[in-house]
Amino acid sequence: MVKILLVEDNEMNRDMLKRRLSRKGYEVSIAVDGAEGVEKTRSIMPDLILMDMSLPVMDGWEATRQIKADAKTGAIPVIALTAHAMAGDREKCLAAGCDDYDTKPVEFPRLLEKIEICLKKAPAP
């Protein structure tokens, strides 16, 4: 079963995404801030990470940089989830190490497509 780590501080977004991804057959773990996201990435080694960029404790930008800088977790695909849809935001997410970018509110079919693409590109564990 494909493991996804969802790093999201908004409870409604977390619950909705966890429910919908679980129904699609993914095993979903949750982290509520960037620091917990980095810690859980190292402990559960997910196949993919959905990273909110506006998080408490440590933001998604820094959490992604730490995950990507670690030789053990650097190859795990990260999809940024952000309400920031301004010009340049996609580039900023990719520069932080994200493999893809999606905007909120989440359009679930589009997000699923991005998840599938990232999983196909990811090196086998």
Side-chain angles (χ1 to χ4, degrees), residues 102-114:
D102 205 13
T103 55
K104 291 179 182 177
V106 170
E107 202 177 288
F108 196 67
R110 182 181 65 208
L111 179 60
L112 273 180
E113 191 176 313
K114 290 180 181 210

Side-chain angles (χ1 to χ4, degrees), residues 7-20:
V7 188
E8 170 63 71
D9 62 325
N10 180 288
E11 189 176 351
M12 281 178 28
N13 289 343
R14 251 192 339 257
D15 291 348
M16 181 273 294
L17 279 170
K18 181 172 183 169
R19 225 177 22 255
R20 294 185 79 181

Side-chain angles (χ1 to χ4, degrees), residues 2-8 17 21 26-52 63 67 76-79 81 115:
V2 173
K3 293 186 291 189
I4 293 179
L5 175 61
L6 173 60
V7 188
E8 170 63 71
L17 279 170
L21 289 166
Y26 295 107
E27 180 185 320
V28 183
S29 297
I30 300 286
V32 298
D33 61 57
E36 185 184 7
V38 172
E39 181 186 306
K40 280 202 171 174
T41 297
R42 291 179 180 140
S43 66
I44 67 171
M45 294 299 292
D47 298 295
L48 182 131
I49 301 164
L50 296 175
M51 179 75 71
D52 181 16
I67 289 164
I76 298 170
V78 177
I79 299 177
L81 295 179
I115 288 170

